[in-house]
Amino acid sequence: MTAELIAVGTELLLGNIVNTNAQYLAQQCANLGISIYYQTVVGDNHDRMTETVKTALDRSDVVILTGGLGPTEDDLTKEVCAEIMGFELVEDPHTRERIEEYFRGGIYKEIPSNNWKQAIVPDGATVLDNDNGMAPGLIMEKNGKTAILLPGPPNELVPLFKNQVYPWLKERQPEVLRSQMIKVCGTGESQVESKLIDLIDGQTNPTIATYAKTGEVHIRVTAKAPTEEEAKKLMKPVVKEIKNRLGDLVYSTKEDETLEMAVVRLLNKYELTVTTAESCTGGLVAGRLVNVPGASEVFNQGFVTYSNKAKRKYLDVSKSTLKKYGAVSPQTAREMATGGVFATDSDACVAVTGIAGPDGGSEEKPVGLVYIATYMKDKVNVEKYQFKGNREKVREQAVMRALDLLRRSILDNYR
Amino acid sequence: MTAELIAVGTELLLGNIVNTNAQYLAQQCANLGISIYYQTVVGDNHDRMTETVKTALDRSDVVILTGGLGPTEDDLTKEVCAEIMGFELVEDPHTRERIEEYFRGGIYKEIPSNNWKQAIVPDGATVLDNDNGMAPGLIMEKNGKTAILLPGPPNELVPLFKNQVYPWLKERQPEVLRSQMIKVCGTGESQVESKLIDLIDGQTNPTIATYAKTGEVHIRVTAKAPTEEEAKKLMKPVVKEIKNRLGDLVYSTKEDETLEMAVVRLLNKYELTVTTAESCTGGLVAGRLVNVPGASEVFNQGFVTYSNKAKRKYLDVSKSTLKKYGAVSPQTAREMATGGVFATDSDACVAVTGIAGPDGGSEEKPVGLVYIATYMKDKVNVEKYQFKGNREKVREQAVMRALDLLRRSILDNYR
């Protein structure tokens, strides 16, 4: 079954709101194994809406429309769909009663007359009661095509979809779609792809897709099958093969686990505490760790040592190191990591020093140069990076690399 | 001028991500006075993309496409547009050089060969250098129609659009639309609106729009006129009136100035240094300050004191205070702020302690309870907040309030 989404509303076209309904409905359809090839946003305009709905009904089995069901003259979705599909509009006594019920005991002395518009439905449509608003949802079927009309506000749309539309679609959808995430850090999208190219090229079911994120790559394996179990069975060998090929580059296979969550999970597993010593990332590594619920078990404190003075005072970086090699140097990174452990009695420390820009770069030490050091089991590992992009981008990448180096140090030393 | 948006990507069709690019671009076009009647999402599929782009070019002057410019075989946007508009694809030596530059000194030993695909451009297109990624943006013009191709990741798209596409579109838009931003912190959107309701209701030209952001509200005054000067003249009295009504709630009237930039600007102005002492925000306040270019003049170091031990050791919070009142208390916040100043010899300190959740809350001290203290001129000001939302949301709001309290303390003490 193929479906497509049409969101109706000038607010979306003006960028006043973001189209979260499209994401929600797309996710739900993906879960049901319904393929969506198009999503459209169109304004409250009769001709443009007609053109859009006609095109959608031509090329897809089901068209899900959101918005434009309200009481005002602008609201045209129902009227346009009825016109195109050849339905007559009639008053639905049940919906009229629900609207009366909705107003009863409310703040209005009388029901504004334009509200009755919401009791008008296409004759023969399935009416879906809306418990969180006045406009009901509608399912219109004709000649093998279906239009599903839903109210725009997410707090009306979501329960209506979940309780009434999802089961309706599921009954008509023979196959399920399941997917498995594999998250990778420390390499680029093209590198991942070149390692998996034969798998990707040969893909049919399951499919393999790669997505580039800042400092990481997500790989999604998706299978279609008559049952959930069969879909999982199809994915299993592919996921295993990808994990084998990528090895320690894989930091998680959970949809919701971020890199910092994976780090905190490992720290917890090996009962380690960590401290942070940050210069150019200015507290962001600590900030990411602390954002993980339960981080307090493994993270007690961190240092933001932006000035040389602070590096000396709190991390015991020696004056001669700073003078001879500078604040942005492997030597300083090394001493920051060591100093962080000794100052706090932690098991490990990750230290970051670099030039985030836009100023402060030189030919020898250009903007984007970052040293990251990890201290673990009396050993310090220092890595040098040359990041591209603006200040924010340099820092984002440095944070990701710092977390990843920490992760790998744990694996190297404790696994 | 009419424009329409096409986002290319299976991730959007599957609902893995939400289409924030569409909102950003729609807002920007609205600012420019460019009408958008359609937004579409389509997958990485040659035929469906061709159909979508053809339809869009038929009915709109400008089509802005996002995504599908990467190095993989899936990435087809450039190829499809070149085919439809009749452009030949050639290698751009300048872009090839930039890709080489991008990889130089990086973590990769050699450049994966599929990356060169990103140096292939339609012959005659305007190439827009991408400083935050490898795929350049492209402007293709033929027969009065324009296709603008932009990379999908928002941190690449936004700077590229802002610096290169926006000015390009602006030059071609006959009536000028000028807008003035007023940024407000420490109050909600409906409060701002109720203070300005008579101005908003009576608006025609200029228009006044309010946008709710996390912890702040943006007010945009927009005027349309034949010249920039006339537009500015129209806006001036309205902007003045809004600023008068909102007073110190306004932290900036510059489009690009964030709250942390405004804070650093004030610290610089009054030649003050500041330190941070953070518990539940775990380094994020420091991280925001350090993200401002030139922050090193006013910020030397910060503390992330997540554990009680760290609060005692680095900030000299007394054992009895922690025992009697707890780590999340006005007393502890006060001692953290004082301790921060004395430990570092700074002029000021902002301290944050609270319960971000999801655990750690009690009836007396529920999740979302946060105390923020500022130390300035031998005085400490402590404020209590009860934030709503999940862990991340609580922390985001706490960071915004901490920066804002710091800003107001500077105004109160030094202005």
Side-chain angles (χ1 to χ4, degrees):
Chain A
M1 196 193 291
T2 60
E4 76 177 87
L5 310 180
I6 299 174
V8 180
T10 307
E11 266 183 302
L12 289 164
L13 292 180
L14 289 174
N16 296 330
I17 55 172
V18 63
N19 194 0
T20 53
N21 285 342
Q23 184 184 27
Y24 172 76
L25 294 171
Q27 275 176 347
Q28 298 300 314
C29 287
N31 284 344
L32 284 162
I34 297 173
S35 302
I36 290 189
Y37 296 129
Y38 302 93
Q39 301 171 0
T40 312
V41 178
V42 65
D44 308 283
N45 171 286
H46 180 274
D47 294 352
R48 285 192 286 270
M49 218 194 289
T50 301
E51 181 208 322
T52 303
V53 176
K54 265 189 181 165
T55 305
L57 282 169
D58 273 350
R59 64 190 178 192
S60 301
D61 303 321
V62 176
V63 179
I64 305 178
L65 295 110
T66 57
L69 296 180
T72 76
E73 286 180 22
D74 265 1
D75 294 301
L76 292 170
T77 305
K78 196 165 55 188
E79 289 75 6
V80 164
C81 288
E83 207 178 294
I84 293 171
M85 296 179 80
F87 279 79
E88 215 180 314
L89 291 168
V90 295
E91 188 174 86
D92 178 35
H94 166 71
T95 301
R96 191 182 167 99
E97 215 168 89
R98 283 180 62 91
I99 293 174
E100 274 168 8
E101 177 65 28
Y102 191 94
F103 275 97
R104 205 168 291 149
I107 54 173
Y108 302 103
K109 287 204 185 67
E110 56 184 83
I111 305 177
S113 63
N114 57 3
N115 275 291
W116 300 124
K117 184 171 180 285
Q118 295 169 114
I120 306 290
V121 305
D123 195 11
T126 306
V127 177
L128 312 170
D129 286 350
N130 178 355
D131 289 332
N132 301 293
M134 276 179 293
L138 297 164
I139 300 180
M140 300 161 68
E141 293 174 273
K142 201 168 242 181
N143 305 329
K145 299 286 183 173
T146 305
I148 301 177
L149 283 62
L150 300 170
N155 58 0
E156 299 179 28
L157 176 136
V158 172
L160 229 161
F161 187 88
K162 205 165 127 184
N163 300 327
Q164 299 180 73
V165 181
Y166 191 97
W168 190 94
L169 287 170
K170 199 173 167 184
E171 230 171 65
R172 284 154 184 83
Q173 175 62 7
E175 289 189 311
V176 302
L177 208 74
R178 285 291 171 278
S179 71
Q180 168 75 49
M181 174 64 90
I182 300 167
K183 295 183 176 182
V184 161
C185 198
T187 189
E189 188 184 15
S190 53
Q191 283 80 357
V192 169
E193 209 183 49
S194 69
K195 281 187 179 156
L196 307 178
I197 190 72
D198 56 311
L199 297 177
I200 292 172
D201 276 351
Q203 67 183 345
T204 47
N205 186 22
T207 58
I208 304 165
T210 61
Y211 304 102
K213 310 272 166 188
T214 297
E216 61 180 311
V217 179
H218 293 178
I219 303 160
R220 187 181 291 280
V221 178
T222 308
K224 208 175 223 180
T227 68
E228 182 162 351
E229 256 160 49
E230 285 170 89
K232 283 184 176 168
K233 212 170 149 188
L234 280 170
M235 284 190 288
K236 208 176 167 189
V238 178
V239 169
K240 198 179 160 194
E241 178 63 22
I242 294 173
K243 282 171 72 180
N244 275 345
R245 291 196 190 181
L246 298 175
D248 278 353
L249 292 171
V250 176
Y251 75 78
S252 185
T253 53
K254 293 180 199 137
E255 188 76 38
D256 293 335
E257 191 172 61
T258 60
L259 181 55
E260 55 267 29
M261 284 178 187
V263 169
V264 169
R265 169 169 54 77
L266 285 173
L267 289 166
N268 263 314
K269 181 174 175 185
Y270 297 108
E271 295 182 356
L272 302 172
T273 57
V274 70
T275 189
T276 52
E278 301 180 68
S279 188
C280 67
T281 48
L284 293 180
V285 176
R288 290 280 280 270
L289 290 173
V290 171
N291 204 30
V292 180
S296 58
E297 297 291 318
V298 298
F299 178 80
N300 295 317
Q301 63 230 297
F303 300 94
V304 184
T305 53
Y306 207 50
S307 67
N308 280 352
K309 205 176 143 192
K311 288 183 187 73
R312 287 175 53 198
K313 185 169 172 189
Y314 294 102
L315 302 172
D316 203 25
V317 176
S318 82
K319 201 173 175 175
S320 67
T321 299
L322 288 166
K323 204 174 162 191
K324 195 165 167 191
Y325 303 107
V328 180
S329 65
Q331 292 83 359
T332 297
R334 176 177 295 272
E335 292 188 23
M336 285 170 72
T338 310
V341 163
F342 282 87
T344 61
D345 211 19
S346 302
D347 299 310
C349 178
V350 57
V352 189
T353 181
I355 302 157
D359 309 318
S362 65
E363 203 167 310
E364 201 192 341
K365 293 184 179 180
V367 166
L369 175 68
V370 176
Y371 291 96
I372 303 177
T374 50
Y375 182 107
M376 214 168 278
K377 275 200 179 168
D378 298 334
K379 283 185 306 235
V380 183
N381 175 32
V382 186
E383 299 278 344
K384 177 185 175 179
Y385 299 96
Q386 183 62 53
F387 297 120
K388 306 292 176 190
N390 62 16
R391 185 177 176 90
E392 209 174 329
K393 185 90 184 171
V394 166
R395 296 172 75 223
E396 268 178 32
Q397 293 174 89
V399 169
M400 289 300 285
R401 301 301 301 141
L403 291 169
D404 192 45
L405 267 195
L406 184 55
R407 179 181 74 86
R408 287 172 193 236
S409 291
I410 302 168
L411 293 179
D412 290 347
N413 284 288
Y414 291 93
R415 184 177 47 183
Chain B
M1 197 195 289
T2 60
E4 76 178 86
L5 309 181
I6 299 175
V8 179
T10 308
E11 268 184 301
L12 289 163
L13 291 180
L14 288 173
N16 297 328
I17 55 172
V18 63
N19 194 358
T20 53
N21 286 341
Q23 183 184 28
Y24 171 78
L25 293 171
Q27 274 177 349
Q28 298 299 313
C29 287
N31 285 344
L32 284 161
I34 296 172
S35 302
I36 290 189
Y37 295 128
Y38 302 94
Q39 301 171 1
T40 311
V41 178
V42 65
D44 308 283
N45 170 286
H46 179 273
D47 294 352
R48 286 192 286 270
M49 218 195 286
T50 301
E51 181 207 321
T52 304
V53 175
K54 266 189 181 162
T55 305
L57 281 169
D58 274 351
R59 63 190 177 190
S60 302
D61 303 320
V62 176
V63 179
I64 305 178
L65 294 111
T66 57
L69 296 181
T72 74
E73 287 179 22
D74 265 3
D75 295 300
L76 291 172
T77 306
K78 198 165 52 186
E79 290 74 7
V80 164
C81 289
E83 206 177 295
I84 294 172
M85 296 178 81
F87 280 79
E88 215 179 311
L89 290 169
V90 294
E91 187 174 86
D92 178 34
H94 167 73
T95 301
R96 191 180 168 100
E97 216 167 89
R98 285 181 61 90
I99 293 174
E100 274 168 9
E101 177 65 30
Y102 192 93
F103 274 97
R104 206 168 290 151
I107 55 174
Y108 309 105
K109 288 206 184 66
E110 57 183 82
I111 307 178
S113 62
N114 55 5
N115 274 292
W116 301 124
K117 183 170 180 288
Q118 294 169 115
I120 306 288
V121 305
D123 195 12
T126 306
V127 177
L128 312 171
D129 286 349
N130 178 354
D131 289 332
N132 300 294
M134 274 179 293
L138 296 164
I139 301 180
M140 299 161 68
E141 292 175 273
K142 201 167 243 180
N143 305 330
K145 298 287 183 174
T146 304
I148 301 176
L149 283 62
L150 299 171
N155 58 3
E156 299 180 26
L157 176 136
V158 172
L160 231 162
F161 187 88
K162 203 163 126 185
N163 300 325
Q164 298 180 73
V165 181
Y166 191 96
W168 190 95
L169 288 169
K170 196 169 159 186
E171 231 171 63
R172 284 152 184 85
Q173 179 66 357
E175 261 210 324
V176 302
L177 210 74
R178 283 294 171 278
S179 69
Q180 168 76 49
M181 176 62 89
I182 301 167
K183 294 184 177 182
V184 162
C185 198
T187 187
E189 189 183 15
S190 54
Q191 282 83 354
V192 168
E193 214 176 50
S194 71
K195 280 186 181 160
L196 307 177
I197 190 71
D198 55 314
L199 298 177
I200 292 172
D201 277 351
Q203 67 183 343
T204 48
N205 188 19
T207 58
I208 303 165
T210 60
Y211 301 99
K213 310 272 165 186
T214 297
E216 61 181 312
V217 179
H218 293 180
I219 303 159
R220 188 182 288 281
V221 178
T222 307
K224 208 177 224 179
T227 68
E228 181 160 355
E229 255 160 51
E230 285 168 90
K232 281 186 175 167
K233 212 170 149 187
L234 281 169
M235 285 191 288
K236 208 178 166 186
V238 179
V239 170
K240 198 179 162 193
E241 178 64 21
I242 293 174
K243 283 171 70 180
N244 274 345
R245 292 194 190 182
L246 298 175
D248 278 352
L249 292 171
V250 177
Y251 75 78
S252 185
T253 53
K254 292 181 199 135
E255 188 76 38
D256 292 334
E257 193 172 60
T258 59
L259 180 56
E260 55 269 30
M261 286 179 188
V263 169
V264 169
R265 169 169 54 78
L266 286 173
L267 289 166
N268 264 313
K269 181 175 174 183
Y270 298 109
E271 295 181 357
L272 301 171
T273 57
V274 70
T275 191
T276 52
E278 302 179 68
S279 187
C280 67
T281 49
L284 293 181
V285 176
R288 290 282 280 268
L289 290 173
V290 171
N291 204 29
V292 181
S296 58
E297 298 291 317
V298 299
F299 179 79
N300 294 317
Q301 64 228 295
F303 301 93
V304 184
T305 53
Y306 208 50
S307 68
N308 280 352
K309 205 175 142 194
K311 289 184 186 71
R312 286 175 53 199
K313 184 170 173 190
Y314 294 103
L315 301 172
D316 203 27
V317 176
S318 81
K319 202 173 174 174
S320 67
T321 299
L322 288 166
K323 203 175 165 189
K324 195 165 168 192
Y325 304 106
V328 180
S329 64
Q331 292 82 359
T332 297
R334 175 178 296 274
E335 292 188 23
M336 285 171 72
T338 310
V341 163
F342 283 87
T344 62
D345 210 19
S346 303
D347 299 310
C349 178
V350 58
V352 189
T353 181
I355 301 158
D359 308 315
S362 64
E363 204 168 309
E364 201 191 340
K365 294 184 179 181
V367 167
L369 175 67
V370 176
Y371 291 96
I372 303 176
T374 51
Y375 182 105
M376 214 168 279
K377 275 198 177 168
D378 298 333
K379 286 185 306 237
V380 183
N381 175 32
V382 186
E383 300 280 343
K384 178 185 176 178
Y385 299 95
Q386 183 61 53
F387 298 119
K388 305 283 178 204
N390 62 15
R391 185 176 176 90
E392 210 174 329
K393 189 92 184 163
V394 166
R395 297 172 74 224
E396 267 178 34
Q397 293 173 88
V399 169
M400 289 300 286
R401 302 302 302 139
L403 290 169
D404 193 45
L405 267 195
L406 185 55
R407 178 181 75 86
R408 287 173 193 236
S409 290
I410 302 168
L411 293 179
D412 290 347
N413 282 289
Y414 291 93
R415 186 176 45 183

